[in-house]
């Protein structure tokens, strides 16, 4: 299942790239914990990510597979029920930044079957959820939350 969403943020690209990647638990609506396990300065970083949705927590082991500051990052998240590959692309638009998130979710076991049966509905919900996540990122950055000069 694939989802894609995009948002324009009234902040410089470097600031948006850094905050998006380093402070996920601060801006995400589903990530409640994002802990670096092995810091390699970007590429190859390993992390533990905990999400919570509808009162249910899931744990993912993450690895940064692409690190091209300030334009692109990709993290591979391995979970019990499904895996996620999340790509973030950052574009400078006259001092603003367009962030595009593209995610591919691969189900395991029963989740794989659910994805096949309910694919279109789940894809639509996935795109809506991704848009809400990016809207939260925009709100946090434009309010100046967590930024050194705010």
């Amino acid at each position: 299942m694939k989802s894609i969403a995009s948002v324009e943020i009234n902040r410089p690209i470097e600031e948006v790239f850094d905050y998006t990647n380093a402070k996920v638990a601060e801006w995400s609506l589903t990530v409640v914990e994002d802990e670096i396990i092995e810091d390699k300065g970007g590429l190859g970083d390993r992390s533990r990510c905990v999400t919570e949705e509808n009162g249910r927590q899931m744990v993912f082991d993450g690895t940064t597979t692409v690190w091209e500051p300030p334009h692109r990052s990709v993290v591979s998240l391995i979970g019990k029920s499904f895996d996620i590959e999340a790509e973030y692309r950052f574009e400078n638009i006259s001092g603003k930044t367009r962030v595009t998130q593209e995610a591919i979710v691969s189900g395991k076991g029963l989740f794989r079957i659910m994805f096949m049966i309910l694919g279109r509905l789940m894809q639509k919900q996935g795109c809506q959820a991704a848009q809400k996540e990016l809207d939260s990122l925009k709100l946090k950055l434009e309010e100046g939350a967590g930024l050194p000069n705010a």
Side-chain angles (χ1 to χ4, degrees), residues 6-7 9 11-22 27 66-74 86-93 96-101 134 137 141:
S6 188
V7 70
I9 300 172
R11 299 297 260 195
I13 190 170
E14 292 83 3
E15 202 172 272
V16 175
F17 181 90
D18 291 343
Y19 187 76
T20 301
N21 287 285
W27 62 264
V66 175
W67 188 254
E68 300 169 356
H71 299 286
R72 186 170 171 244
S73 65
V74 179
E87 176 181 9
Y88 291 88
R89 293 186 299 270
F90 304 83
E91 299 171 72
N92 182 357
I93 315 265
K96 295 181 180 182
T97 304
R98 177 180 296 132
V99 181
T100 302
Q101 179 202 53
L134 289 184
L137 174 66
L141 276 163

Side-chain angles (χ1 to χ4, degrees), residues 42-99:
L43 184 62
D45 283 359
R46 291 185 330 106
S47 61
R48 179 178 167 275
C49 177
V50 180
T51 65
E52 185 174 318
E53 196 165 354
N54 299 322
R56 181 175 172 200
Q57 286 194 346
M58 290 186 275
V59 178
F60 294 90
D61 293 319
T63 303
T64 302
T65 58
V66 175
W67 188 254
E68 300 169 356
H71 299 286
R72 186 170 171 244
S73 65
V74 179
V75 65
S76 175
L77 299 162
I78 308 299
K80 183 179 177 182
S81 301
F82 53 88
D83 299 339
I84 304 168
E85 182 170 284
E87 176 181 9
Y88 291 88
R89 293 186 299 270
F90 304 83
E91 299 171 72
N92 182 357
I93 315 265
S94 302
K96 295 181 180 182
T97 304
R98 177 180 296 132
V99 181

